[in-house]
Amino acid sequence: MKEKLFTRNFTLLLVGQASSLLGNNTLKFALSMFVLEETGSATVFATILALAMAPTILLSPLGGILADRANRKSIMVALDSLSGLAVLMACLLLSLGDRVLVVGALLVALSILGAFESPTVQACVPQMLSGERLLQGNAAVSQIQAAASLVTPFLGSVLYTALGIQPIFLGAVACFFLTALLECFLQLDYRRPSRQAGVGAALRKDLSESMEFLIRQEPGICKLLLLAALVSLFVSGAMVVGFPYLVRTVLDLSAALYGIAESALGVAAVLGGVCVGLLGERLRLGRLAGVFSGFGLCLLPCGLAFLLPLGALGRYGVLLVFFCICQAGCSVFSTCAISAIQARTPERLMGKVMSFVFTLSLCAQPLGQLLYGVLFDTFSQAPWCVLLPTGLAVWAAGMLSRRFFRRLERQWERPGPAQNPPPKGRGF
């Protein structure tokens, strides 16, 4: 009899994540519009995004250690409760001081909390599911994230335009507290460690054990993540900073059109997750090089649109179509890669390894955001000067990575050291 996918635990986790993402993403979307309207600068906007992401990158390894040593249920309840309190405090302070400074401080606080929560949630999925259900479970989590990306931009733009920023703060507070309440009903096995070493000794031991696994036992994981970080340097900057700046500032289009575009990106991400769920056993690791190359190819028409006499709405349409294709590819790649890594990671190392995955996947994003903030400000009258070279660089990286992905696919066909058996077939 096949293992059930939507168990009570997994369903509670999904509903809780949906609530948290609904509040968090709606708030962050509204805050991005708020900051752009307050400053009008891509550089300032990108700097705030990058500074807010830094704590997540620096603290995620500690979050992974905590996820493997403490009660994961208690961690998630505490972190979502603290997130709700942080948003509530920022809401109260917004009218008392520098509003951009308050927003930046809130984003940093949420980043710190996210550094501990993301590895914990990622470690919970293989604890709840195994075998062929693991890939499907990760696809379901990805679809929840994508669905939130679909709903929240439209919701954020409508609420922000109609009501302002304060009601969105209060809605996010309610979502975080609801998530914490749902997580109270999770049932996760937890065994308290028999021996408690000093904090410093425990950190050194856990970090050493994780690095031993990643560098010597499974070096392919590190190489895969470093390659992904290199491409993320370009793609994240072009999408996260460039897309809102191009739509709102360069093309001077309305917040409603920007919200529609972000919702369309959410649809694309959902479709990417659906494809993984339907074709997961037929997707192979060697084909991900083509996905990488596709990211670059999607950026080339976006750059050409600013060389052709298309007008603002025509350029908006080109950006929308090709960024959506890129977003679907991101969903496919990340879901497949994370599932394969989880399948080859022992349960005792799951939190720590997933924290390194999370950290390495994010480490290039602040640099990319800062770089592209400056580039888009500098070439605001000629965005093609940014988009075309980026597209060519990413396409070249994908083409050069084909041999690496094929070799890694052959290596990962053999059973790994993980306690979680890989999905049937090749796992991709």
Side-chain angles (χ1 to χ4, degrees), residues 175-321:
C175 288
F176 278 122
F177 285 146
L178 175 59
T179 300
L181 177 62
L182 292 171
E183 289 165 345
C184 289
F185 296 99
L186 290 173
Q187 295 180 356
L188 299 175
D189 293 335
Y190 169 65
R191 295 181 181 179
R192 187 180 299 275
S194 57
R195 293 182 57 194
Q196 294 289 341
V199 175
L203 287 175
R204 288 192 296 271
K205 178 180 180 299
D206 285 352
L207 290 173
S208 174
E209 190 175 16
S210 302
M211 296 306 295
E212 170 76 16
F213 174 77
L214 289 171
I215 294 175
R216 296 192 176 182
Q217 297 182 38
E218 291 289 346
I221 293 177
C222 272
K223 294 175 182 178
L224 173 61
L225 293 173
L226 289 173
L227 181 60
L230 176 65
V231 178
S232 178
L233 178 72
F234 300 104
V235 177
S236 173
M239 290 189 67
V240 177
V241 174
F243 191 64
Y245 182 73
L246 291 173
V247 172
R248 294 285 287 139
T249 304
V250 176
L251 299 180
D252 195 26
L253 297 175
S254 67
L257 284 176
Y258 175 46
I260 291 171
E262 288 289 340
S263 294
L265 291 175
V267 172
V270 170
L271 293 177
V274 170
C275 288
V276 172
L278 295 176
L279 306 174
E281 295 183 2
R282 284 177 281 177
L283 289 173
R284 297 186 178 185
L285 191 61
R287 295 176 179 173
L288 294 186
V291 178
F292 267 131
S293 299
F295 295 153
L297 294 177
C298 286
L299 294 177
L300 296 180
C302 296
L304 291 174
F306 288 92
L307 290 173
L308 300 174
L310 298 179
L313 289 178
R315 290 166 179 167
Y316 168 80
V318 173
L319 291 174
L320 180 59
V321 169

Side-chain angles (χ1 to χ4, degrees), residues 297-346:
L297 294 177
C298 286
L299 294 177
L300 296 180
C302 296
L304 291 174
F306 288 92
L307 290 173
L308 300 174
L310 298 179
L313 289 178
R315 290 166 179 167
Y316 168 80
V318 173
L319 291 174
L320 180 59
V321 169
F322 286 98
F323 273 117
C324 282
I325 296 173
C326 193
Q327 181 72 9
C330 288
S331 180
V332 171
F333 178 85
S334 62
T335 303
C336 291
I338 287 174
S339 297
I341 292 169
Q342 288 175 337
R344 297 186 65 85
T345 302

Side-chain angles (χ1 to χ4, degrees), residues 23-36 44-57 59 82-83 86-91 94 99-115 165 169 172 176 240 369:
N24 200 7
N25 289 2
T26 301
L27 176 63
K28 288 183 176 179
F29 180 85
L31 290 178
S32 69
M33 297 173 62
F34 178 79
V35 171
L36 277 174
V44 174
F45 176 53
T47 300
I48 291 176
L49 291 179
L51 291 176
M53 190 175 293
T56 299
I57 296 172
L59 297 176
L82 289 173
S83 296
V87 176
L88 181 59
M89 183 175 294
C91 179
L94 195 64
R99 300 202 291 179
V100 174
L101 180 62
V102 171
V103 169
L106 173 61
L107 291 175
V108 169
L110 293 176
S111 176
I112 292 172
L113 295 170
I165 196 69
F169 273 94
F176 278 122
V240 177
Q369 290 167 358

